[in-house]
């Protein structure tokens, strides 16, 4: 049985964080400035708390300031908007991330649009989405940016002219991912829950980005032999389904796909660690852009 080469997102993320930390060190040594990242968590979702804790640790580990704001689940929209306004005005804050999903009483789109686009390190503000779509410098959403970095390392210039199929059309992953792949001269298809013959569409792909949020939905026989498979899904299977202990799986059936693909990302240890590393990189980028610093000189 042939076996795909693993794309080690954890290792690439470690390299990226080291590069960010080096520039953060240069910024402090030369200018006495430390980039600051504010993370806002509304409610008590236990999975979200793990991400927030990891982000906090890694932010400090690379020399940036980390500001955490935990609000109760019944927080009023006006109070969250008031906090965002304070963070927009706070010069020590270069990046603002409001963890999604938000509780029902809060309109997430309103909150996203309230964030200063210059501090929008998630890249979810329509200004940044529009800049990405029109090929202008932008803050790019962390998960698709991390996927692109893995593809750059794996395929490089070979991406040009390849057929990429993105499964999922969210504003957070699918749509920005498609824009980034277009920027690498891929021929891009965005597939989704209403796509007919999804298996057949995926089978035409040299590059598959799975971002559907359904555990192990993409089967091995869907994959074209030798294709590059990037699995964005992070699904926690409950103990019963996983045979005793809870287990993290992607949107791709990994065991099946790795027998067919040329390269594949694992879950965990693939796209997830890249997402956090890209958040730190975006925070450094925002800190430099806001202050007119050329990042290459740090
Ligand atoms: N405004 C906003 N921005 C986000 O970027 C955002 C968000 N809201 N809400 C929640 C999702 C989820 N997310 C993850 C990031 C890293 C891992 C990660 O590092 N995962 C590890 C495993 C972690 C584990 O074991 O649970 C891995 O895949 O290897 C997972 C999930 C960012 N999100």
């Amino acid at each position: 049985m042939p076996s795909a080469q693993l794309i080690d997102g954890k290792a690439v993320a470690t390299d990226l964080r080291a590069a960010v930390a080096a520039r953060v060190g240069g910024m402090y040594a030369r200018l006495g400035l430390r980039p600051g990242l504010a993370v806002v968590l509304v409610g008590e979702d236990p999975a979200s708390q793990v991400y927030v804790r990891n982000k906090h640790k890694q932010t400090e580990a690379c020399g940036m300031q980390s500001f955490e704001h935990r609000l109760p689940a019944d927080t009023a929209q006006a109070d969250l908007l008031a906090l965002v306004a304070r963070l927009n005005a706070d010069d020590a804050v270069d990046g603002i991330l409001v963890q999604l999903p938000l509780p029902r009483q809060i309109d997430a789109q309103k909150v996203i649009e309230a964030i200063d686009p210059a501090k929008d390190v998630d890249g979810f503000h329509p200004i940044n989405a529009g800049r990405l779509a029109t090929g202008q410098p932008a803050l790019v959403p962390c998960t698709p940016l991390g996927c692109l970095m893995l593809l750059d390392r794996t395929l490089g210039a070979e991406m040009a002219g390849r057929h990429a199929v993105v499964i999922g059309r969210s504003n957070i992953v699918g749509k920005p991912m498609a824009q980034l792949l277009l920027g690498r001269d891929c021929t891009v298809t965005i597939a989704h829950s209403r796509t007919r013959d999804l298996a057949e569409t995926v089978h035409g792909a040299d590059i598959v980005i799975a971002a559907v949020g359904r555990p192990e939905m993409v089967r091995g026989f869907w994959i074209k032999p030798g294709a590059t498979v990037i699995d964005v899904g992070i699904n926690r299977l409950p103990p019963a389904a996983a045979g005793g202990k809870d287990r993290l799986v992607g949107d791709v059936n990994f065991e099946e796909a790795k027998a067919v693909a040329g390269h594949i990302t694992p879950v965990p240890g693939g796209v997830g660690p890249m997402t956090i590393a890209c958040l730190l990189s975006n925070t450094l980028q925002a800190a430099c852009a806001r202050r007119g610093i050329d990042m290459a000189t740090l």
Side-chain angles (χ1 to χ4, degrees):
M1 198 73 129
S3 194
Q5 278 193 46
L6 279 194
I7 301 172
D8 188 347
K10 206 174 156 190
V12 179
T14 300
D15 287 357
L16 176 58
R17 288 200 311 269
V20 170
R23 289 191 159 143
V24 168
M27 193 170 178
Y28 189 68
R30 269 169 240 184
L31 305 164
L33 294 171
R34 283 197 186 286
L37 172 64
V39 172
V40 180
L41 181 61
V42 184
E44 308 266 322
D45 176 41
S48 282
Q49 304 226 19
V50 177
Y51 307 140
V52 171
R53 205 159 37 239
N54 284 342
K55 279 178 218 162
H56 179 77
K57 271 199 304 217
Q58 294 183 16
T59 304
E60 298 209 319
C62 75
M64 301 201 253
Q65 285 185 276
S66 173
F67 309 105
E68 266 186 50
H69 296 269
R70 290 165 185 272
L71 304 178
D74 63 357
T75 296
Q77 175 167 299
D79 292 331
L80 179 55
L81 290 173
L83 172 58
V84 169
R86 268 204 289 134
L87 298 172
N88 283 342
D90 185 343
D91 197 50
V93 172
D94 294 292
I96 302 170
L97 180 147
V98 178
Q99 181 103 8
L100 302 177
L102 287 164
R104 269 179 309 151
Q105 75 276 15
I106 296 174
D107 178 349
Q109 198 55 37
K110 269 231 163 69
V111 175
I112 288 166
E113 290 179 22
I115 296 171
D116 178 348
K119 298 189 177 189
D120 170 36
V121 287
D122 261 328
F124 296 163
H125 193 288
I127 290 278
N128 281 312
R131 283 185 183 150
L132 174 62
T134 54
Q136 302 170 76
L139 284 163
V140 175
C142 302
T143 298
L145 182 58
C147 294
L148 184 73
M149 287 182 185
L150 295 178
L151 287 169
D152 279 339
R153 292 226 174 181
T154 306
L155 297 174
E158 301 251 307
M159 263 190 278
R162 298 290 176 177
H163 188 194
V165 172
V166 179
I167 319 172
R169 56 175 153 181
S170 71
N171 292 336
I172 293 171
V173 181
K175 286 181 206 164
M177 187 75 245
Q179 300 292 356
L180 291 169
L181 290 163
L182 276 176
R184 291 292 187 272
D185 301 317
C186 290
T187 301
V188 181
T189 299
I190 305 180
H192 48 77
S193 56
R194 301 292 298 271
T195 297
R196 294 186 192 176
D197 300 318
L198 181 59
E200 201 180 307
T201 300
V202 170
H203 202 75
D206 304 300
I207 298 165
V208 180
I209 313 280
V212 259
R214 287 177 55 183
E216 300 179 319
M217 190 187 81
V218 176
R219 303 289 307 271
F221 68 87
W222 296 15
I223 307 291
K224 182 201 280 196
T228 300
V229 178
I230 307 290
D231 190 350
V232 176
I234 295 178
N235 308 288
R236 206 168 287 277
L237 293 189
K245 53 181 192 302
D246 75 337
R247 187 166 69 101
L248 221 50
V249 301
D251 292 346
V252 176
N253 185 314
F254 182 79
E255 286 306 316
E256 291 178 2
K258 88 167 195 265
V260 185
H263 297 84
I264 188 168
T265 59
V267 177
V271 173
M274 287 302 293
T275 298
I276 300 183
C278 286
L279 174 66
L280 304 178
S281 172
N282 278 354
T283 303
L284 173 63
Q285 187 190 313
C288 290
R290 281 182 64 232
R291 298 165 194 283
I293 300 164
D294 178 359
M295 207 158 86
T297 66
L298 291 175

